[in-house]
Amino acid sequence: MRTHSFLTVLLWSSVFYVVHMMPSQKRTNKHLHSERITGLSENDGKTLHRTKRGWMWNQFFLLEEYTGPDTQYVGKLHTDQDKGDGNLKYILTGDGAGSLFIIDENTGDIHAAKKLDREEKSLYVLRAKAIDRKTGRQVEPESEFIIKIHDINDNEPKFTKDMYSASIPEMSGVGTSVIQVTATDADDANYGNSAKVVYSILQGQPYFSVDPETGIIKTALPDMSRENREQYQVVIQAKDMGGQMGGLSGTTTVNITLTDVNDNPPRFPQSSYQFSSPESAPPGTPLGRIKANDPDVGENAEIEYSISNGDGSDMFDIITDKDTQEGIITVKKHLDFENKVLYTLRVEATNTHPDPRFLQLGPFKDTALVKISVEDIDEPPVFSRPWYLIEVDEDAKEGSIIGQVVAQDPDAAKNAIKYSVDRHTDLDRIFNIYSGNGSLFLSKPLDREETPWHNITVIATEINNPKQSSQIPVFIRILDINDHAPEFANYYETFVCENAKAGQLIQTVSAIDKDQPPRGHRFFFELVPEFAVHPNFSVVDNKDNTAGIMTRRNGYSRSKMSTYLLPIIIFDNDYPIQSSTGTLTIRVCACDSRGNMQSCSAEALLLPAGLSTGALVAILLCIIILLVLVVLFTALKRQRKKEPLIISKDDVRDNIVTYNDEGGGEEDTQAFDIGTLRNPEAREESKMRRDVIPETIFQIRRTAPLWENIDVQDFIHRRLKENDLDPAAPPYDSLATYAYEGNDSIANSLSSLESLTTEGNQDYDYLSDWGPRFKKLADMYGGEDSDRD
């Protein structure tokens, strides 16, 4: 908001003041003569004399924002050197010279060419000089003067923010500071009252006030409630000229919010509530919600619910929903319509964060009455116990009653109940139940050693409503009866040394029993009555369920008796007493001096009383079957055909071929082509394989002739290496036979295959010169003449 006022001011300026100055050493003598300066000053019309002439300009003052029709006159420059003949020229330089300020170079008059704004620039520094037009020289030294801009009230106060936001707790006292607003005025604070700002409130009364000098906004009413009104908008005005008429002003808006305090207790909207619950509701079931209203917000509105008293405080509970600030009533214990139908509760709602400043307003809590009615439903039968434990002897007879379960209808109708056994828990159907009274009885005999515990489930069902049924676990423990005889705990391999001494311990035996007597096991060991006094061994009971086998004589002989059978009777001490006989097989073995076994003639066996006929027949059948399998396998093996060594004629592998005919001897030259053996070059021919497709990437390889090598071993090794490195060789192992026997033997060839087929005799006398190794051969052929004779 702006208020404009116009003030007409008559402005006149003094142009020059004449002052006396000390002479300057740099001044010329022409400046020492007396000069006269004319201007608009207090000494108008008077002539002043001074010994030294100098320029000293005083300050000029102009009004800003001049809006007249002509340019604003500033002042006039003049020197007594000016004779009025136009020989002098006035020049103006400095801030704004030529643009803001212009000078008449002939007369020296200075005018302001434009409007001036003090807020943009309040001071201008200018320099003036007078120049002789003919000579171009200064007639006076350059002098400096200042033009100051007088301020007018052309700027309204402005706040630092267009809009302010503030908050204050509700129920604050009068005069509580809310916020401070600040406005600034661009006008000159040192010139008049243009920049003196005064604050006032235009909107927001009577709730708030503002300090006119500091701009601090304060509360003006006591106990302002957020619940009644939360937001306030206050308009503050800042006016210059000290708030007087004609001053300019500016405004700003302040949004003030009242923050919450806990000054309101929770209140139930109604004094009583009614809920209902079926008697079958399990603990933890929610029945309903109640809520106390609190006009406060945030943590000041947080409520905690509790049951203060009532006959249902043990049966029900209430919890607080932190999100909705509601109280949830839940079932705490199982309900029974037949026991109690109606419960009454006193529920209390309390603030969790009370404010001590407002406790005098009253208790920050409230109570309400809650009534809960129990609804009757058709309930399943209820057993007298949560589970049953029944103990029965394992020798109980079939059909005997072992226990009873009891259930009844909890409803007022007291419907009849029938009982049954869940067969999924009694697959063997060992137990059964009388449907009318719940008595359990046996259907099959029991065996504790096989199953010591039975866990079955009994079902009770209402006859009138089969959907109403319940189950109960029944644990049946089978009590032990001494019906098993003790027996050896392990398989014992017992031996006695041939050099054993009388009274030597050769074995310690123990026993086990499948029964479990209440006082624990106690076993007794002794020999059978027939061998009560055994000539070779004795049994010593150690009284700790073990017995020692002792020798009764010195020395034993394997040649006379390699194995001894020692029958031992084992008794228990339960009722009725059970016993069994176990035979311990004792081998006679050769031992070293320390008693370590070296060798035995037979193995020790723990034999039972004897094998049954069925076992012997089974063993005999197994032996016969094995014999038949062996015979069949042998027959099939004989009938199996031999596979030919060379399966296909295309198989180019070297093979060992066996010929069963002897051939025609030396004169049979058609049976076998011996050219290969005679000429090794025949074997060097490269032949393509016929069992694979030839590949063009492999070149036919020629090998160097090998008959020049006198070493047969080297020949064979090179052949092997060629086969190993041949990329066209078959990918399987093969047997290569090389019949070349080498060259350059001192005996030449010993074969008769190359002998001439003539009837002429050959001289073999040279064989005698070959040494002792060929002596036998020389004797055979060298005696041919004597044979002929």
Side-chain angles (χ1 to χ4, degrees), residues 4 23 146 160 194-195 240 283 353 385 590 616 728 770:
H4 297 278
I146 298 174
T160 57
S194 298
D240 60 10
H353 299 87
R385 301 179 188 177
L616 293 175
W770 287 0

Side-chain angles (χ1 to χ4, degrees), residues 657-777:
V657 181
T658 302
Y659 297 94
N660 292 326
D661 56 318
E662 296 182 356
E666 295 181 353
E667 297 182 356
D668 186 0
T669 59
Q670 303 298 325
F672 183 76
D673 183 10
I674 200 159
T676 302
L677 295 178
R678 183 178 297 112
N679 185 11
E681 286 186 334
R683 298 187 55 87
E684 297 302 323
E685 252 180 274
S686 296
K687 297 180 180 180
M688 298 298 293
R689 289 180 54 184
R690 291 177 290 174
D691 59 335
V692 295
I693 300 175
E695 296 181 9
T696 58
I697 62 173
F698 298 113
Q699 300 295 329
I700 297 177
R701 182 168 44 88
R702 293 272 180 190
T703 60
L706 297 178
W707 60 86
E708 299 176 359
N709 194 337
I710 61 174
D711 191 357
V712 177
Q713 183 178 6
D714 184 56
F715 169 81
I716 294 175
H717 287 169
R718 292 188 62 177
R719 280 295 191 181
L720 289 173
K721 185 176 180 180
E722 289 175 4
N723 279 272
D724 292 337
L725 298 179
D726 187 4
Y732 42 78
D733 295 334
S734 61
L735 178 62
T737 302
Y738 301 99
Y740 177 62
E741 61 183 9
N743 292 329
D744 299 334
S745 172
I746 60 175
N748 294 324
S749 177
L750 300 181
S751 175
S752 62
L753 297 178
E754 294 182 354
S755 302
L756 297 177
T757 57
T758 61
E759 296 296 334
N761 294 327
Q762 188 173 355
D763 186 9
Y764 295 100
D765 293 339
Y766 61 88
L767 293 177
S768 300
D769 300 331
W770 287 0
R773 292 186 179 181
F774 297 93
K775 184 178 183 300
K776 184 66 174 178
L777 190 61

